[in-house]
Amino acid sequence: MASQTEENYLKSLFNLANPQGEVNISDLANQMQVSMPTVNSMVKTLQKSGWLIYEKYKPVTLTSKGQKEAALIIRKHRLTEMFLVNKMGFGWEEVHEIAEQIEHIHAPKLFERMDEMMGFPTIDPHGSPIPDKQGRIQEINYLSLSKIKAGQTVILAALANSSTEFLEFLNSRNLSLGTELHILSKEAYDHSIVVSYLNHPGETLSEKVCEKLLVQILDI
Amino acid sequence: MASQTEENYLKSLFNLANPQGEVNISDLANQMQVSMPTVNSMVKTLQKSGWLIYEKYKPVTLTSKGQKEAALIIRKHRLTEMFLVNKMGFGWEEVHEIAEQIEHIHAPKLFERMDEMMGFPTIDPHGSPIPDKQGRIQEINYLSLSKIKAGQTVILAALANSSTEFLEFLNSRNLSLGTELHILSKEAYDHSIVVSYLNHPGETLSEKVCEKLLVQILDI
DNA sequence: CAATTATGTTAGATGAATCTAACAATATAC
DNA sequence: GTATATTGTTAGATTCATCTAACATAATTG
Ligand SMILES: [Mn+2]
Ligand SMILES: [Mn+2]
Ligand SMILES: [Mn+2]
Ligand SMILES: [Mn+2]
């Protein structure tokens, strides 16, 4: 069984993987906030347990066993976040840190009960998909708000970043998942946009914000 | 901040303390399922952090800081057990192992929400008191069923032992906290007793079982 | 393509939590 | 009150997860 530390490495590896499934040692060191030699020795350990493939001077790649394990930890994380929001009254900006700890609890029944009590949700409070019990993830291809043309109407469906600061910014503007946004105009100079939505007739959003808002186009 | 390992030592120390607050190294080693040298080095570490008083060849004693810390971990454990039973539908025999892990989560709000959602319970699913936020425990002096005379009527209020096996035994006899028991007779030879209760007109309970059933006398 | 920069590895050390083997102190029993 | 048993300590080793310093390889760029 993977240690708590190893589980966190697996999650980072899963999230950092490029389309070919590769992860650089330096990116992993940066993500985990440890030195490269630490990562170097950890990837050797993870390889010995069959979680990944490692060859000197090459980027590492999770094995399918490693991918599944990572996805199942992410499943526990996201189920927990959803449970905290839906069943315990937490705000979406409060749950990540708690889930970061609870994802390491070994108690299959706990997470099954959460799942059951919530009616088997498929997304977490930030719009990210919850992997199923087999570790399969249903990737949904949302569009970034920064790619949408003026005049269109979209629904806020997910976030490309879920940091507390960003979530608190969204709270301050009453923006939540499901909000219907009308793109009124786009500024050519700085790529900021002006949107209108419930009780907010004209709100300006910077490019930095728009990039992180993932939306679905409303075809009426 | 105490590590998960240190937290488990603090809990054991709290539970093993005799009326003078003293704990033997060998009892602690036995409880923690580690060797005596391991305990010896750990108590030195715990002393350095101010959790306990240690002098060579003498039993150790938790400081008041150590007692409070232990009580607050026990609080998290018992709140969790109660939450799992009352809010998530677990049986009282399923929750200890999960609580053993969740008690180490650092998230004050999580436990405050549990507490709130349950209406600030004062006992856990096994009848043990839940320490308050200041780490104070309200000790209730129940009587062991083995001390009760024939002819009396009592209410099952708590358990002196909450092992899964014992809880499953109680489940098999439909015995739960709050059950009203009529002591019909006592066997002088083996100290077993015969009780009657809801749908059980005559159930024999061994001395071993009676010792672990804590009751309140019903004064009608 | 040579120089510079970025990325990755080795070596050696540290602190936490554990072990076994050997020894020391204290308590108990005859 | 000495012998025996119980309890506790020291010494030395191990594994895990981390570090820094030094060195090696690979990629980028003028
Ligand atoms: Mn999260
Ligand atoms: Mn984590
Ligand atoms: Mn318990
Ligand atoms: Mn524990």
Side-chain angles (χ1 to χ4, degrees), chain B residues 44 144 196 214:
Chain B
K44 287 173 180 171
S144 164
S196 79
L214 303 179

Side-chain angles (χ1 to χ4, degrees), chain B residues 132-198:
Chain B
D132 70 17
K133 283 181 197 174
Q134 281 69 48
R136 289 178 302 229
I137 286 194
Q138 195 216 340
E139 280 300 347
I140 311 151
N141 274 341
Y142 297 121
L143 290 163
S144 164
L145 181 54
S146 58
K147 298 273 159 53
I148 309 292
K149 287 177 215 143
Q152 289 202 278
T153 295
V154 298
I155 292 235
L156 181 53
L159 308 174
N161 170 290
S162 308
S163 67
T164 308
E165 306 75 54
F166 184 49
L167 294 169
E168 280 171 350
F169 167 82
L170 297 178
N171 284 346
S172 74
R173 306 295 151 106
N174 280 110
L175 282 166
S176 58
L177 297 194
T179 300
E180 197 174 311
L181 302 166
H182 310 280
I183 292 88
L184 302 181
S185 66
K186 253 182 124 155
E187 176 57 59
Y189 176 62
D190 67 357
H191 305 105
S192 66
I193 71 171
V194 180
V195 294
S196 79
Y197 54 95
L198 198 68

Side-chain angles (χ1 to χ4, degrees), chain A residues 77 81 96 124 126:
Chain A
H77 182 106
E81 288 188 340
H96 179 78
D124 81 4
H126 314 110

Side-chain angles (χ1 to χ4, degrees), chain B residues 72-102:
Chain B
L72 290 177
I73 299 160
I74 291 168
R75 173 176 165 81
K76 292 194 279 181
H77 182 106
R78 293 183 180 166
L79 277 175
T80 300
E81 287 187 339
M82 202 61 175
F83 186 85
L84 292 173
V85 169
N86 285 358
K87 297 289 169 185
M88 295 190 73
F90 281 89
W92 67 350
E93 78 285 1
E94 301 178 295
V95 298
H96 178 78
E97 286 308 311
I98 304 179
E100 202 55 54
Q101 299 177 63
I102 296 194

